[in-house]
Structure formats: structure tokens, C-alpha cells
Amino acid sequence: MSITFSDRLGALPGYPLAEIPTIKRRLLQEGVDVIDLGAGDNDTPPPAPVVEALKEALDDPSLSKYGFQQGLPAFRKACCDYLERRFGQRFDPATGVLPLIGSKEGLAHLPYAVANPGDVVIFPEPGYQAYIGGTILSGATPHVYPLVASENFLLELDRVPEAVLRRTRLVYINYPNNPTAAIAPMEYLERVVAVCRKYGILLAYDNAYCDLTYDGYVAPSIFEVSGAQEVAVEFFSLSKSFSMTGWRLGWAAGRPELIGALSRVKSYVDTGPFLALQKAGVVALDAAEALVAPIRALLSERRDAAVTALGQVGIEVARPKAAMYLWVPLPDGVPSAPFTRRALEEFGVVTLPGSAFGPAGEGYFRIALTVSPARLTEAVERLGRALDTVRGTRVAATA
Ligand SMILES: Cc1ncc(COP(=O)(O)O)c(C=O)c1O
């Protein structure tokens, strides 16, 4: 008998980053100077004091034990101190926060806590893959909300049919947004919370980019909206702010019943982040403001260089106020996947096609601001040449 796979596995769309590393490796072996603007993985090192703290923590054998869901009390406290300093929101370290092995797994595990098979989970498209992954793997029914420029890339629950809202148990919202770099006005967040309260919908507020903001913009926590505590769980990540993507450390915050439900799911599938990482995470969070400031300055320089270079090749993109991406429109009729494939194979630049974030992402590609202004400028010049090859023509669908 051969092994067959589940319908849930079959329902997962292809993972957008899956084939890029293979093509990139081949090009590098051929001696191509590849510029990688694909994954949201900054080229900057993690902060030195955080690395030092991890090295020290490795010498403490008690930190090599299972962390379980409780994790390191000092990390929980650092999360709560940060939430209070940064957003004025108070949580109990013992019950109001939960360490995560990166925020991705927490986001993906959440549907298991609230959705029965057939219940609806709403998520944005284009959007982060963990939302669709968690929805499908948990057996819930996805309801995709297309984010469009004319609605400022906001997921407007008011536009979801009432019959769907009644069956909805969970909605994912992410601002500052990946991949569009959109930000959420407070009055928008108030509207979202009101709809979630009306229909008893859990709001997963993904705030992975809350500290990567520019031009004086300060991203809020969902808990700054009155009544949000009733319905929201908020997800935070050390990945982007501290260049710690591979470390796998994040956390969730919310009222004890909601955090407890996620913790219960996770206690059956993982044993929490490595305690030594949590120890180092304390150093990062306690000094968050000072440590993130230089990253923010660097990213805004990169943003400016890339936006200017795009203008020079005839693409106007507004300067985003947050996140680490440019969401770049393609000329009409140019499909994104063949274009980005050509940009990589013929011009040595990795970007992500909009279609990789779902069909509603078509018509765009994403640039991650992960390299220096000079490299970004060079990459955009090459992308301009790649665009010249498709302007007025269409990239063959098989390219
Ligand atoms: C919107 C969004 N949320 C969450 C994450 C996950 O971050 P991590 O699992 O590294 O904490 C990412 C990573 O790219 C992201 O773009």
C-alpha cells in the first residue's frame, strides 16, 4: 500500500519562498552576483549585548532544561515591562503573555484553540502564510479578504457578508503590514474591534513590525483600543526589530483565558522556546528603544534609496511609514511570478512575486529592504532593466 496524504496537506498552497534558495544557490555557484531582496531577513547582525547574553546563558545548565509553556519568568516579565513602557498596557507576566518559538507558530496554532471544522477564519490576501496554514491545517474554512490599494490595504470587516461573520471565529489582522507596508489608523482599529465584539470573533493582531516605523510614525498596540482585551490576542516578534529571525523568539499577549487556550494547544505540540534564548531576549526587550533606533534609521535610509531608484526607472512608490518592504506595482498585464523569475535568473535579483502572497497579490512584487542603500540602488537598476524587457510586451507564462 502506498502512503496517501491528507486533504489538508493537499489544500495548502505552494510555499512562496520554497524554490528561491535552490535557484539562488545555482546562480551563486555560476558566479552570479545575486542581490537578495526576498525574505524579510535583514543583513544586520543581532545586537552585541544580546549575543553576549546568549553566550553566557549557554554556560548555565539550568537554561538547557525544558522551558515548557511557562518559559523563563524573567522573559515574561520583560515582555510585560515592554508592553507597559511602549503602549501603556499592563499584563500579568504569569497569565497575560506566552513565549513563542517565533510568532509564526503562535499565529498558526491559534485556530486550533477557537475554530471547529467548518468554522470560518478570515485573513488578508496578500498576507503572511501562517494565517492560511493554520486555518487549513486546523480544518477551519478560509475566507480570504483581498487587500486593495483603493482601501489603503485595510481588511474591512464591514464589507464581509454578515452570514460569513456569523460563522467566523477568528480574524487575522497585520499592521504595519507585510507585504504592503500599510499602516492602520486608530479609527480603523476601533471599527475592527467593534465588529469582533459584536460577533464574538477572536482578533489575532499580528504586530511583528510595530517598532520598524519611520518619519515619526508610532505603531499602536491593538490593546490601545478600548474593549480590545475582550476579543484580541496580539503577537510580537524579536525577529525583525533585533535581526534575530533565526533565533525563533516571540510572544503573545492577551487576557488569561485567551492566552491559556493558546498555551494549552501548544503544550501538546511543543515545549516552548529555548530558555537561553529567552534569557538573551530579556536583554533585547529591556533595551528595545535604544537597540531598535539604529535599525530604524538604517531601514529608512534604505527605503529612501530604493524609492528614489524606483522613481528613476519610472515606478512611483509612496514612502511607507513602517515595516521593511516596498510593494511595487507592475505594469498592467505583467504577471508577477514570471517577472520575478526573470529578474532572478537573468538579472540576479531576488524579489517576491505578489502572487506568492495569494492571487489577490497579483500585479505587484515585493522588495525587502534587507541590503545597503548602494546594493538596493544597484538591484533596482537591474529590476528596471528587467522591466524594460516586459514593458509593452508580456512575459511568457512559462518564463
Ligand atoms: C506579518 C508577519 N508576521 C509574523 C512573522 C513571523 O515572524 P517570526 O516567526 O520570526 O516571529 C512574519 C515574518 O516574516 C511576518 O511577516
Side-chain angles (χ1 to χ4, degrees):
M1 288 282 282
S2 62
I3 305 295
T4 57
F5 296 102
S6 68
D7 293 345
R8 290 175 192 188
L9 188 74
L12 292 172
Y15 199 82
L17 297 178
E19 64 174 7
I20 291 172
T22 317
I23 302 175
K24 182 179 164 186
R25 198 173 322 118
R26 172 171 56 76
L27 291 173
L28 288 172
Q29 274 164 1
E30 290 167 6
V32 176
D33 170 30
V34 176
I35 306 179
D36 192 341
L37 313 178
D41 205 346
N42 228 335
D43 66 349
T44 46
V50 183
V51 174
E52 272 317 304
L54 177 61
K55 287 182 187 165
E56 269 175 41
L58 290 172
D59 283 330
D60 178 349
S62 73
L63 297 175
S64 278
K65 302 296 179 197
Y66 284 125
F68 298 108
Q69 300 307 320
Q70 183 197 337
L72 194 74
F75 180 68
R76 283 174 169 261
K77 180 174 182 305
C79 296
C80 292
D81 289 348
Y82 165 88
L83 290 169
E84 186 164 0
R85 277 197 328 270
R86 173 72 174 77
F87 305 109
Q89 301 298 314
R90 281 210 187 158
F91 289 87
D92 176 353
T95 58
V97 289
L98 180 67
L100 299 173
I101 309 171
S103 61
K104 183 179 190 177
E105 61 90 355
L107 289 160
H109 282 132
L110 193 61
Y112 292 82
V114 289
N116 289 313
D119 286 342
V120 172
V121 174
I122 301 176
F123 52 83
E125 189 180 289
Y128 187 51
Q129 288 73 28
Y131 315 147
I132 188 168
T135 301
I136 289 176
L137 291 172
S138 70
T141 301
H143 180 90
V144 171
Y145 188 98
L147 301 184
V148 291
S150 58
E151 290 178 9
N152 299 319
F153 300 111
L154 296 174
L155 191 160
E156 295 286 1
L157 284 177
D158 292 339
R159 301 181 78 112
V160 175
E162 178 155 27
V164 175
L165 290 176
R166 286 189 193 285
R167 291 171 50 217
T168 300
R169 303 307 315 278
L170 172 65
V171 59
Y172 288 102
I173 306 260
N174 163 229
Y175 299 100
N177 184 256
N178 171 20
T180 68
I183 55 174
M186 258 340 243
E187 59 78 25
Y188 162 77
L189 296 177
E190 283 162 10
R191 278 188 284 130
V192 169
V193 167
V195 175
C196 288
R197 291 180 70 182
K198 178 170 174 194
Y199 291 94
I201 298 171
L202 178 62
L203 169 54
Y205 194 71
D206 179 357
N207 217 346
Y209 297 93
C210 64
D211 283 328
L212 300 184
T213 56
Y214 319 109
D215 308 337
Y217 172 67
V218 179
S221 157
I222 194 67
F223 297 118
E224 289 172 51
V225 174
S226 138
Q229 288 246 5
E230 246 179 67
V231 288
V233 174
E234 185 158 350
F235 290 85
F236 296 93
S237 172
L238 278 80
S239 291
K240 315 290 178 174
S241 302
F242 304 102
S243 309
M244 287 165 60
T245 50
W247 293 42
R248 312 312 302 133
L249 192 58
W251 82 97
R255 67 182 164 89
E257 294 75 12
L258 302 178
I259 288 299
L262 179 59
S263 173
R264 188 160 152 74
V265 171
K266 277 170 54 62
S267 62
Y268 284 85
V269 288
D270 68 61
T271 315
F274 181 23
L275 290 172
L277 289 183
Q278 296 190 50
K279 186 85 192 271
V282 173
V283 174
L285 288 178
D286 282 353
E289 291 79 352
L291 294 177
V292 184
I295 299 283
R296 219 184 265 140
L298 192 90
L299 283 171
S300 67
E301 266 178 43
R302 292 176 178 190
R303 174 201 64 172
D304 291 347
V307 169
T308 304
L310 281 165
Q312 281 160 1
V313 300
I315 302 180
E316 295 308 322
V317 177
R319 268 161 228 263
K321 287 196 159 42
M324 55 193 293
Y325 307 110
L326 299 181
W327 187 236
V328 187
L330 279 163
D332 280 350
V334 175
S336 59
F339 170 71
T340 55
R341 182 89 182 225
R342 176 176 282 188
L344 174 55
E345 295 200 312
E346 295 176 26
F347 297 88
V349 181
V350 182
T351 56
L352 292 187
S355 62
F357 298 89
E362 193 48 276
Y364 291 84
F365 65 98
R366 191 190 81 175
I367 288 178
L369 302 170
T370 48
V371 300
S372 69
R375 290 292 275 170
L376 272 166
T377 303
E378 156 83 26
V380 171
E381 279 165 11
R382 292 192 208 172
L383 289 169
R385 277 186 273 132
L387 272 171
D388 286 342
T389 66
V390 298
R391 276 200 179 106
T393 59
R394 285 169 187 240
V395 183
T398 52

